[in-house]
Amino acid sequence: MNEPQAARILDGTVVAQEVEAEVAAASARLPFRLGLAVVCVGNDPASEIYVRSKAKKARELGIDGIERIFPDTLSEAELLDVVASLNEDDAVDGILVQLPLPRRIDAQKVIDAIDPRKDVDGFHPINVGLLHLGRRALVPCTPAGVMRLIAATGEAIEGKHAVIIGRSNIVGKPMAALLLNASATVTICHSRTRDLAAVAREADILVAAIGQPLFVTDDFVKPGAIVIDVGMNRVEAGFAPRLAHDAGKSQLLAKNGSVLVGDVDFARVRERAAWITPVPRGVGPMTIAMLMHNTVEAAMRRRG
Ligand code: GUN
């Protein structure tokens, strides 16, 4: 018998660079300057880093990226005023309000207030509805990025069984809609699913988006599947025994005191899958690239 081949790695940095090159070319070609506003409220250092890196990436691609960072004391009414003024500003093509928002602010109310034509996150109910109807929509960035990664394998989606683990509004549900629109047979699993591993083993395309480190092990995976890992979990020294089989991650953990891992046990699953995304350098870079892509898309449609 032949030795099974380890999976091919789907490198998100490479595919993201292709998307970013398309965006830079579009922004150079358009007769107007593109504008993207990213809004952050509160003192969460991680959110602030995300917001600054999104605006910076925009500027690298020739888009006017502006970050609006507000203190935790900003009221819901004040945030709604900020959104209203960005809606009215013709130089702004895309508006992103970084989540999570402080608890006293109703995030849904804020999302609902964004002009759907500028909703580059694709979270507004109008865009959610259009996506689920299979109509042209601004599509949430992470699932849109996953579709680009699947396309990069060169494998067709039509007729394949796609299993998504996780039912969030940001990833799981829009992921299901996109794969269904591409004529996959789609199953969504979640915390109440019975015998989740058995359902996952049916998947030709398996998308893990649950936020639980190393949740997906090799017995969740059909040989030859495409495995996409949306998880980003920072784990610390207590996690070392669960990484003992992964020399690379174990070394990083020992050296740095923490290490980033996905929802998929990469070291085990790569022995079974045909394609797999690593963490980091998998889905992560695609999310920001697709945000830039959505900004171009939003501008071209709104400005005709
Ligand atoms: N927080 C985590 N992911 C996202 C995202 O895709 N968009 C926004 N706005 N906030 C997030």
Side-chain angles (χ1 to χ4, degrees):
M1 217 172 87
N2 292 331
E3 279 293 300
Q5 294 254 307
R8 295 168 74 179
I9 309 295
L10 266 173
D11 186 336
T13 59
V14 171
V15 185
Q17 268 174 21
E18 289 167 22
V19 175
E20 287 167 13
E22 288 166 25
V23 169
S27 93
R29 194 174 61 233
L30 287 169
F32 49 81
R33 283 196 67 80
L34 293 160
L36 171 66
V38 282
V39 180
C40 179
V41 183
N43 319 321
D44 177 21
S47 286
E48 199 170 321
I49 291 169
Y50 285 135
V51 161
R52 288 193 193 284
S53 61
K54 286 168 182 173
K56 180 165 167 263
K57 175 62 74 180
R59 291 191 291 271
E60 283 168 19
L61 302 181
I63 298 170
D64 290 326
I66 49 165
E67 58 247 56
R68 295 279 190 83
I69 296 173
F70 296 99
D72 194 45
T73 50
L74 191 82
S75 71
E76 183 181 284
E78 287 168 321
L79 179 56
L80 289 169
D81 281 344
V82 169
V83 169
S85 75
L86 294 171
N87 282 343
E88 275 164 36
D89 185 344
D90 193 48
V92 172
D93 295 293
I95 303 169
L96 177 145
V97 177
Q98 185 68 25
L99 302 177
L101 286 167
R103 265 222 304 269
R104 62 200 158 64
I105 297 181
D106 181 345
Q108 199 58 61
K109 204 162 162 186
V110 175
I111 291 166
D112 289 359
I114 297 171
D115 182 339
R117 298 172 306 163
K118 298 188 176 187
D119 168 36
V120 283
D121 259 330
F123 293 168
H124 190 284
I126 292 271
N127 283 312
V128 175
L130 290 170
L131 171 63
H132 282 262
L133 290 166
R135 290 171 55 180
R136 204 160 168 211
L138 287 168
V139 174
C141 303
T142 299
V146 171
M147 294 302 281
R148 290 288 288 241
L149 286 171
I150 296 171
T153 66
E155 292 197 31
I157 294 174
E158 187 181 325
K160 288 211 166 77
H161 189 178
V163 175
I164 299 148
I165 313 178
R167 55 173 155 178
S168 71
N169 291 334
I170 295 185
V171 182
K173 287 181 204 165
M175 192 75 250
L178 285 167
L179 287 162
L180 182 61
N181 291 347
S183 298
T185 302
V186 178
T187 303
I188 307 180
C189 298
H190 47 77
S191 54
R192 303 286 190 277
T193 299
R194 287 190 212 136
D195 202 354
L196 202 152
V199 180
R201 267 198 306 276
E202 297 293 313
D204 305 304
I205 300 170
L206 182 63
V207 181
I210 33 201
Q212 290 201 36
L214 312 192
F215 183 85
V216 173
T217 55
D218 48 357
D219 63 322
F220 285 56
V221 176
K222 170 153 95 178
I226 299 172
V227 179
I228 308 282
D229 189 353
V230 180
M232 286 260 245
N233 313 287
R234 186 157 288 282
V235 299
E236 302 190 342
F239 209 82
R242 290 190 56 196
L243 282 172
H245 62 289
D246 185 330
K249 292 288 188 197
S250 290
Q251 247 171 29
L252 282 169
L253 179 56
K255 182 164 150 239
N256 302 325
S258 74
V259 69
L260 209 54
V261 299
D263 291 350
V264 174
D265 185 338
F266 179 87
R268 290 208 169 96
V269 170
R270 73 174 302 188
E271 302 302 325
R272 277 196 164 223
W275 292 92
I276 188 168
T277 60
V279 175
R281 303 168 69 85
V283 173
M286 293 304 297
T287 298
I288 192 159
M290 296 314 291
L291 174 65
M292 305 304 140
H293 170 90
N294 278 356
T295 303
V296 175
E297 190 73 16
M300 299 220 286
R301 275 192 256 167
R302 184 178 63 91
R303 306 202 201 209

